[in-house]
Protein backbone atom coordinates (compact mmCIF):
# COMPACT_ATOMS: atom_id res chain seq x y z
CA UNK A 1 0.00 0.00 0.00
CA UNK A 2 1.32 3.41 -0.94
CA UNK A 3 1.00 5.91 1.93
CA UNK A 4 0.82 9.70 1.62
CA UNK A 5 0.67 11.71 4.85
CA UNK A 6 -0.69 15.24 4.55
CA UNK A 7 -0.68 18.18 6.96
CA UNK A 8 -4.44 18.32 7.27
CA UNK A 9 -7.92 17.46 5.91
CA UNK A 10 -7.78 20.11 3.16
CA UNK A 11 -4.50 18.83 1.75
CA UNK A 12 -5.79 15.23 1.91
CA UNK A 13 -8.96 16.25 0.06
CA UNK A 14 -7.07 18.16 -2.64
CA UNK A 15 -4.73 15.22 -3.32
CA UNK A 16 -7.60 12.76 -3.49
CA UNK A 17 -9.49 15.02 -5.91
CA UNK A 18 -6.38 15.21 -8.10
CA UNK A 19 -6.27 11.40 -8.30
CA UNK A 20 -9.93 11.32 -9.36
CA UNK A 21 -9.52 14.18 -11.85
CA UNK A 22 -6.56 12.40 -13.46
CA UNK A 23 -8.68 9.28 -14.04
CA UNK A 24 -11.58 11.33 -15.47
CA UNK A 25 -9.24 13.28 -17.79
CA UNK A 26 -7.59 10.10 -18.97
CA UNK A 27 -10.82 8.17 -19.61
CA UNK A 28 -13.94 10.26 -20.23
CA UNK A 29 -16.29 7.29 -19.72
CA UNK A 30 -14.62 6.04 -16.54
CA UNK A 31 -16.45 4.41 -13.63
CA UNK A 32 -16.03 6.08 -10.24
CA UNK A 33 -16.54 4.17 -7.01
CA UNK A 34 -17.92 6.63 -4.46
CA UNK A 35 -18.43 6.74 -0.71
CA UNK A 36 -20.41 8.82 1.78
CA UNK A 37 -19.51 10.02 5.27
CA UNK A 38 -17.68 13.12 6.47
CA UNK A 39 -14.31 12.09 5.04
CA UNK A 40 -14.89 12.47 1.26
CA UNK A 41 -16.92 15.72 1.48
CA UNK A 42 -13.80 17.86 0.97
CA UNK A 43 -12.78 15.80 -2.05
CA UNK A 44 -16.24 16.26 -3.60
CA UNK A 45 -15.99 20.01 -2.92
CA UNK A 46 -12.65 20.08 -4.80
CA UNK A 47 -14.08 18.12 -7.72
CA UNK A 48 -17.02 20.53 -7.96
CA UNK A 49 -14.53 23.43 -8.00
CA UNK A 50 -12.50 21.73 -10.75
CA UNK A 51 -15.71 21.31 -12.77
CA UNK A 52 -16.73 24.93 -12.28
CA UNK A 53 -13.32 26.53 -12.79
CA UNK A 54 -11.54 24.17 -15.16
CA UNK A 55 -14.42 22.41 -16.90
CA UNK A 56 -13.66 18.95 -15.50
CA UNK A 57 -16.13 16.97 -17.59
CA UNK A 58 -18.40 14.34 -15.99
CA UNK A 59 -20.75 13.99 -18.97
CA UNK A 60 -19.70 10.45 -19.83
CA UNK A 61 -18.75 9.35 -16.31
CA UNK A 62 -20.61 6.57 -14.47
CA UNK A 63 -20.54 5.93 -10.75
CA UNK A 64 -21.33 3.23 -8.23
CA UNK A 65 -21.74 3.91 -4.54
CA UNK A 66 -20.58 1.65 -1.75
CA UNK A 67 -23.67 1.44 0.39
CA UNK A 68 -27.11 2.68 1.42
CA UNK A 69 -29.36 2.29 4.43
CA UNK A 70 -32.19 -0.23 4.17
CA UNK A 71 -34.97 0.55 4.11
CA UNK A 72 -34.87 4.22 3.21
CA UNK A 73 -36.35 6.33 0.43
CA UNK A 74 -34.01 8.39 -1.79
CA UNK A 75 -35.72 11.66 -0.82
CA UNK A 76 -34.96 11.11 2.88
CA UNK A 77 -32.24 13.64 3.71
CA UNK A 78 -30.34 10.91 5.61
CA UNK A 79 -30.18 8.60 2.58
CA UNK A 80 -26.87 8.20 0.82
CA UNK A 81 -28.56 8.97 -2.51
CA UNK A 82 -29.55 12.34 -1.07
CA UNK A 83 -25.99 12.87 0.21
CA UNK A 84 -24.47 12.17 -3.21
CA UNK A 85 -26.87 14.51 -5.00
CA UNK A 86 -26.24 17.20 -2.38
CA UNK A 87 -22.44 17.00 -2.30
CA UNK A 88 -21.58 16.10 -5.88
CA UNK A 89 -24.12 15.06 -8.50
CA UNK A 90 -26.22 18.26 -8.37
CA UNK A 91 -23.12 20.40 -8.97
CA UNK A 92 -21.38 18.67 -11.89
CA UNK A 93 -22.52 17.64 -15.37
CA UNK A 94 -22.91 13.94 -14.56
CA UNK A 95 -25.96 12.22 -16.04
CA UNK A 96 -27.86 10.97 -12.97
CA UNK A 97 -29.02 7.99 -15.03
CA UNK A 98 -25.38 6.87 -14.93
CA UNK A 99 -25.12 7.15 -11.14
CA UNK A 100 -25.79 4.03 -9.08
CA UNK A 101 -26.51 4.00 -5.37
CA UNK A 102 -27.90 0.82 -3.78
CA UNK A 103 -31.70 1.08 -3.70
CA UNK A 104 -32.97 1.44 -0.15
CA UNK A 105 -36.51 0.71 -1.42
CA UNK A 106 -35.69 -2.61 -3.15
CA UNK A 107 -38.54 -5.06 -2.52
CA UNK A 108 -36.26 -8.08 -2.89
CA UNK A 109 -32.87 -7.04 -1.51
CA UNK A 110 -31.12 -10.32 -2.37
CA UNK A 111 -32.03 -10.02 -6.04
CA UNK A 112 -31.11 -6.35 -5.93
CA UNK A 113 -27.66 -7.18 -4.54
CA UNK A 114 -27.00 -9.78 -7.24
CA UNK A 115 -28.07 -7.27 -9.89
CA UNK A 116 -25.86 -4.55 -8.37
CA UNK A 117 -22.83 -6.84 -8.52
CA UNK A 118 -23.70 -7.68 -12.14
CA UNK A 119 -24.07 -3.97 -12.87
CA UNK A 120 -20.52 -3.29 -11.63
CA UNK A 121 -19.27 -6.08 -13.91
CA UNK A 122 -21.33 -4.84 -16.87
CA UNK A 123 -19.79 -1.38 -16.46
CA UNK A 124 -16.40 -3.05 -16.83
CA UNK A 125 -15.40 -2.67 -13.18
CA UNK A 126 -14.50 0.45 -11.24
CA UNK A 127 -11.61 2.61 -12.43
CA UNK A 128 -11.03 4.38 -9.12
CA UNK A 129 -12.71 3.78 -5.76
CA UNK A 130 -12.65 6.16 -2.81
CA UNK A 131 -13.08 4.72 0.68
CA UNK A 132 -13.33 6.09 4.18
CA UNK A 133 -12.35 3.95 7.13
CA UNK A 134 -14.53 3.41 10.19
CA UNK A 135 -13.10 3.91 13.67
CA UNK A 136 -13.42 0.14 14.00
CA UNK A 137 -11.67 -0.51 10.67
CA UNK A 138 -14.85 -1.08 8.66
CA UNK A 139 -15.17 -0.33 4.95
CA UNK A 140 -18.65 0.52 3.74
CA UNK A 141 -20.86 -1.50 6.08
CA UNK A 142 -18.44 -4.43 6.22
CA UNK A 143 -18.12 -4.48 9.98
CA UNK A 144 -15.30 -6.35 11.78
CA UNK A 145 -16.26 -10.00 12.20
CA UNK A 146 -13.96 -12.78 13.40
CA UNK A 147 -16.33 -15.27 11.73
CA UNK A 148 -15.69 -13.87 8.26
CA UNK A 149 -17.10 -11.36 5.79
CA UNK A 150 -19.54 -11.71 2.92
CA UNK A 151 -17.52 -10.96 -0.24
CA UNK A 152 -20.12 -9.49 -2.61
CA UNK A 153 -22.89 -6.86 -2.32
CA UNK A 154 -25.27 -7.89 0.45
CA UNK A 155 -27.86 -6.82 3.01
CA UNK A 156 -26.35 -6.52 6.47
CA UNK A 157 -27.61 -5.81 9.97
CA UNK A 158 -26.20 -2.66 11.52
CA UNK A 159 -24.50 -3.09 14.86
CA UNK A 160 -26.20 -1.67 17.96
CA UNK A 161 -23.41 0.95 18.18
CA UNK A 162 -23.96 2.10 14.61
CA UNK A 163 -27.74 2.33 15.12
CA UNK A 164 -27.18 4.33 18.29
CA UNK A 165 -24.65 6.62 16.57
CA UNK A 166 -27.01 7.20 13.63
CA UNK A 167 -30.02 7.94 15.84
CA UNK A 168 -28.93 11.58 16.26
CA UNK A 169 -29.79 12.20 12.60
CA UNK A 170 -33.35 10.84 12.86
CA UNK A 171 -36.34 12.21 14.75
CA UNK A 172 -37.06 8.94 16.54
CA UNK A 173 -35.31 5.63 17.21
CA UNK A 174 -38.03 3.87 15.15
CA UNK A 175 -36.94 5.77 12.07
CA UNK A 176 -33.29 4.74 12.28
CA UNK A 177 -32.64 2.04 9.66
CA UNK A 178 -31.52 -1.24 11.23
CA UNK A 179 -29.97 -2.65 8.06
CA UNK A 180 -27.95 -1.52 5.06
CA UNK A 181 -27.05 -2.66 1.57
CA UNK A 182 -23.30 -2.68 1.07
CA UNK A 183 -20.74 -3.68 -1.48
CA UNK A 184 -18.53 -6.44 -0.08
CA UNK A 185 -14.74 -6.58 -0.01
CA UNK A 186 -14.72 -8.58 -3.24
CA UNK A 187 -16.89 -5.93 -4.94
CA UNK A 188 -14.44 -3.24 -3.76
CA UNK A 189 -11.53 -5.29 -5.08
CA UNK A 190 -13.00 -5.03 -8.57
CA UNK A 191 -11.66 -1.48 -8.56
CA UNK A 192 -8.44 -1.09 -10.52
CA UNK A 193 -7.31 1.68 -8.21
CA UNK A 194 -8.37 2.37 -4.61
CA UNK A 195 -7.83 5.55 -2.62
CA UNK A 196 -8.54 5.25 1.09
CA UNK A 197 -8.81 8.45 3.10
CA UNK A 198 -8.46 9.04 6.83
CA UNK A 199 -8.49 12.27 8.76
CA UNK A 200 -8.24 13.11 12.44
CA UNK A 201 -7.07 11.45 15.61
CA UNK A 202 -10.29 9.45 15.84
CA UNK A 203 -9.05 7.33 12.95
CA UNK A 204 -5.53 6.77 14.29
CA UNK A 205 -6.24 3.34 15.85
CA UNK A 206 -7.98 2.13 12.68
CA UNK A 207 -5.09 3.31 10.47
CA UNK A 208 -2.60 1.59 12.76
CA UNK A 209 -4.59 -1.67 12.68
CA UNK A 210 -4.89 -1.49 8.89
CA UNK A 211 -1.12 -1.12 8.50
CA UNK A 212 -0.16 -3.61 11.23
CA UNK A 213 1.15 -6.10 8.67
CA UNK A 214 -1.56 -8.70 9.22
CA UNK A 215 -4.73 -9.18 7.20
CA UNK A 216 -7.76 -10.03 9.29
CA UNK A 217 -11.54 -9.82 9.02
CA UNK A 218 -11.53 -8.18 12.45
CA UNK A 219 -10.12 -5.14 10.60
CA UNK A 220 -11.77 -5.25 7.16
CA UNK A 221 -9.57 -2.36 5.93
CA UNK A 222 -6.47 -4.53 6.47
CA UNK A 223 -7.59 -6.69 3.53
CA UNK A 224 -6.77 -3.74 1.26
CA UNK A 225 -3.10 -4.59 1.81
CA UNK A 226 -3.46 -7.43 -0.73
CA UNK A 227 -4.93 -5.25 -3.51
CA UNK A 228 -2.29 -4.29 -6.10
CA UNK A 229 -3.08 -0.55 -6.31
CA UNK A 230 -4.12 1.11 -3.06
CA UNK A 231 -3.07 4.56 -1.86
CA UNK A 232 -3.77 5.68 1.67
CA UNK A 233 -3.99 9.46 1.88
CA UNK A 234 -4.25 10.49 5.50
CA UNK A 235 -3.44 13.50 7.58
CA UNK A 236 -0.82 13.61 10.32
CA UNK A 237 -3.40 13.14 13.08
CA UNK A 238 -4.78 9.93 11.51
CA UNK A 239 -1.22 8.66 11.00
CA UNK A 240 -0.05 9.55 14.50
CA UNK A 241 -0.18 5.99 15.93
CA UNK A 242 1.57 4.16 13.09
P1 LIG B 1 -16.70 9.11 8.17
O1 LIG B 1 -17.11 7.60 8.02
O2 LIG B 1 -16.11 9.50 6.85
O3 LIG B 1 -17.98 9.82 8.46
O4 LIG B 1 -15.69 9.19 9.27
C1 LIG B 1 -16.20 6.72 7.47
C2 LIG B 1 -16.72 5.33 7.63
O5 LIG B 1 -17.34 5.05 8.69
O6 LIG B 1 -16.52 4.51 6.73
Amino acid sequence: MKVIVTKNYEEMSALAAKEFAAVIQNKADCVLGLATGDTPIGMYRELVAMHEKNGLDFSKVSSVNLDEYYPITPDNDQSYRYFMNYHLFDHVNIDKANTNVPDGTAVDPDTFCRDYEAKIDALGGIDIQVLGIGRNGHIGFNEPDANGLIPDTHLTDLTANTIEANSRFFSSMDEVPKQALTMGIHSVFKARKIVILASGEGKADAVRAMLAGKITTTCPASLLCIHPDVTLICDEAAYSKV
Side-chain angles (χ1 to χ4, degrees):
M1 184 179 301
K2 185 174 159 195
V3 178
I4 301 173
V5 182
T6 64
K7 272 251 152 319
N8 52 36
Y9 179 81
E10 286 69 32
E11 202 187 320
M12 176 199 79
S13 303
L15 276 182
K18 259 192 176 164
E19 296 274 354
F20 266 67
V23 171
I24 296 166
Q25 280 156 351
N26 205 31
K27 185 179 174 190
D29 61 347
C30 63
V31 180
L32 307 180
L34 302 175
T36 54
D38 288 337
T39 311
I41 290 176
M43 181 187 98
Y44 295 144
R45 203 181 298 133
E46 292 281 336
L47 286 170
V48 169
M50 287 177 183
H51 169 69
E52 286 172 352
K53 292 190 194 130
N54 311 325
L56 183 65
D57 182 13
F58 289 78
S59 61
K60 296 195 175 70
V61 168
S62 301
S63 68
V64 290
N65 258 77
L66 262 186
D67 48 16
E68 176 62 283
Y69 289 124
Y70 185 83
I72 201 160
T73 56
D75 58 335
N76 186 315
D77 64 6
Q78 294 308 320
S79 77
Y80 291 170
R81 162 54 77 179
Y82 189 98
F83 176 105
M84 289 311 305
N85 289 346
Y86 183 83
H87 289 289
L88 183 66
F89 300 154
D90 283 345
H91 312 288
V92 296
N93 63 334
I94 199 165
D95 180 349
K96 281 211 188 126
N98 295 332
T99 66
N100 300 279
V101 179
D103 180 3
T105 69
V107 179
D108 176 353
D110 289 342
T111 301
F112 176 82
C113 290
R114 271 197 300 280
D115 290 349
Y116 200 73
E117 204 64 43
K119 175 87 196 184
I120 297 170
D121 292 338
L123 286 169
I126 297 163
D127 289 294
I128 183 168
Q129 171 77 53
V130 66
L131 297 172
I133 182 171
R135 284 162 192 259
N136 61 2
H138 75 198
I139 295 171
F141 278 118
N142 297 278
E143 301 288 353
D145 189 341
N147 292 320
L149 301 172
I150 298 172
D152 291 333
T153 303
H154 58 283
L155 180 66
T156 186
D157 293 333
L158 299 182
T159 60
N161 287 349
T162 303
I163 294 168
E164 176 70 37
N166 292 343
S167 64
R168 68 187 192 280
F169 298 118
F170 294 84
S171 47
S172 77
M173 202 64 183
D174 284 350
E175 284 179 31
V176 190
K178 310 293 185 293
Q179 292 183 299
L181 300 162
T182 184
M183 278 164 56
I185 301 292
H186 179 234
S187 335
V188 169
F189 266 51
K190 290 178 181 174
R192 284 178 270 283
K193 184 177 184 60
I194 297 173
V195 175
I196 179 160
L197 306 178
S199 171
E201 225 179 300
K203 298 296 173 70
D205 286 325
V207 169
R208 184 185 51 192
M210 174 173 66
L211 299 177
K214 223 188 200 177
I215 55 166
T216 166
T217 57
T218 57
C219 177
S222 70
L223 298 169
L224 295 173
C225 294
I226 52 176
H227 185 282
D229 189 350
V230 181
T231 304
L232 165 68
I233 308 178
C234 71
D235 60 19
E236 285 171 359
Y239 199 69
S240 59
K241 292 189 178 171
V242 176

